[in-house]
Amino acid sequence: MSIIKAIILGIVQGVTEFLPISSSGHLSLFQHFLGVSGEGSLLFSVLLHLGTLIAVFIVFYKTIIGLVFEFFSLIKDIFTGIFKFKKLRGKKKMLVMFFFSCIPLLFLLIPVGNGMKLMDLLGGLGEDDSILAEGICFLLTGVLLLSSTYYSKQNQLNRSVNTLDAIAIGTAQMFAAGFPGISRSGSTISTGMLCGVSKEYMVQYSFILGIPAILVANAVELKDAVESDAQLELLPTIIGITVAAVSGVACIKLLQWILKRDMWKYFGYYCLILGVITVICSIFGL
């Protein structure tokens, strides 16, 4: 892994993590064409998510700090017997909805044999020499983005997340975590929009929701890396994480601007075009 390749992959991660076009899918494509697919590529991809995690903390630090205080307040309410689910409002309600959205991720930990979990099996799609799975997932992401765009034009999206919304959003995140080419931000924000949640609320909800998913993915992958003696060069990895963080901050701001100007559909068109090109390249071995 050269420093130039690490910078390129860091930019790809930072840009595509927050724009709804799939960071895992783009990283898989760039690793494929840069010749860094295979052993260690999945570990490097997961570590790059640390950079985008830093970006989330930088942009939403006020909300995150508020959620931390509300968490302890919520615990106090539970132990003092004054907790009322139906009366949850604001950040306390968001915290509880985060819990429901994280439940579907547990399915990725289901054993599938040979000491592997479902997450390991699906993650292998991004490490193999084929990019067909990525192409198909890009197409699915494009359809989801365009569907939510159409729905938002026909309906008013003006509320926060409820329990059923949270489970649906968490399911979308589960598929995005498992399949390279399905955008985590795109699928979760679009799913929330299809449920009737406001765009602005979903941007904040989606990116903060990604914090536990990214932390768990890093913890599991680092554990597996230690056990398998996967090797990564320290300097390129640090540079890649830093570049991902800087570009990530810029793209969060860009996405907020884009949603206000009703340009969501263009990402759907992009994913459809990229999906078709990727499938063609895979079929003909280009």
Side-chain angles (χ1 to χ4, degrees):
M1 176 71 67
S2 68
I3 291 178
I4 296 298
K5 289 182 179 179
I7 292 174
I8 292 173
L9 294 175
I11 293 174
V12 171
Q13 170 63 32
V15 171
T16 58
E17 173 68 23
F18 299 113
L19 298 183
I21 52 178
S22 177
S23 61
S24 61
H26 279 77
L27 275 175
S28 184
L29 290 184
F30 272 80
Q31 288 173 338
H32 179 81
F33 290 112
L34 288 174
V36 292
S37 298
E39 184 178 354
S41 64
L42 181 59
L43 173 59
F44 185 76
S45 299
V46 172
L47 289 176
L48 284 182
H49 280 76
L50 286 176
T52 49
L53 184 63
I54 293 171
V56 172
F57 277 102
I58 292 174
V59 177
F60 296 111
Y61 73 94
K62 291 183 179 179
T63 301
I64 293 172
I65 291 173
L67 286 170
V68 172
F69 283 108
E70 290 294 346
F71 172 77
F72 290 107
S73 177
L74 186 64
I75 297 298
K76 178 182 176 183
D77 291 348
I78 293 173
F79 281 99
T80 55
I82 63 174
F83 174 80
K84 301 292 182 182
F85 184 82
K86 292 184 178 180
K87 293 185 178 180
L88 286 172
R89 297 291 184 273
K91 290 185 175 63
K92 284 186 180 179
K93 181 181 179 181
M94 182 182 283
L95 277 172
V96 175
M97 294 305 107
F98 283 153
F99 170 78
F100 286 110
S101 289
C102 288
I103 291 176
L105 289 173
L106 297 176
F107 286 98
L108 293 175
L109 302 179
I110 295 175
V112 293
N114 297 323
M116 295 180 62
K117 299 179 284 292
L118 180 59
M119 179 173 62
D120 301 323
L121 181 65
L122 297 177
L125 295 173
E127 285 191 297
D128 59 21
D129 293 329
S130 172
I131 52 176
L132 179 60
E134 287 87 339
I136 294 173
C137 289
F138 280 130
L139 293 174
L140 293 174
T141 297
V143 171
L144 184 58
L145 294 174
L146 292 176
S147 298
S148 62
T149 298
Y150 176 80
Y151 183 84
S152 66
K153 289 184 177 180
Q154 306 299 318
N155 301 271
Q156 284 193 339
L157 312 181
N158 53 12
R159 62 177 179 83
S160 61
V161 173
N162 61 33
T163 306
L164 292 178
D165 301 335
I167 294 174
I169 292 166
T171 302
Q173 177 172 251
M174 177 194 69
F175 281 107
F179 292 94
I182 295 182
S183 166
R184 197 199 69 82
S185 62
S187 61
T188 52
I189 294 173
S190 291
T191 299
M193 290 168 60
L194 288 169
C195 290
V197 182
S198 73
K199 300 175 185 178
E200 293 76 14
Y201 188 91
M202 274 311 307
V203 170
Q204 181 175 254
Y205 188 91
S206 172
F207 292 151
I208 297 177
L209 173 64
I211 292 176
I214 294 172
L215 288 176
V216 170
N218 274 273
V220 172
E221 186 60 34
L222 286 173
K223 174 179 174 295
D224 293 343
V226 171
E227 293 176 351
S228 63
D229 294 326
Q231 300 294 320
L232 281 179
E233 295 181 58
L234 182 61
L235 182 59
T237 301
I238 293 175
I239 291 175
I241 292 173
T242 303
V243 172
V246 173
S247 57
V249 171
C251 283
I252 292 177
K253 298 294 186 181
L254 176 61
L255 182 61
Q256 291 172 326
W257 179 85
I258 286 171
L259 278 172
K260 291 179 180 179
R261 283 155 182 79
D262 196 25
M263 299 169 65
W264 191 248
K265 61 183 177 183
Y266 296 113
F267 293 114
Y269 297 140
Y270 169 81
C271 287
L272 288 180
I273 294 171
L274 181 60
V276 170
I277 294 174
T278 303
V279 169
I280 292 174
C281 286
S282 174
I283 293 174
F284 292 99
L286 302 178

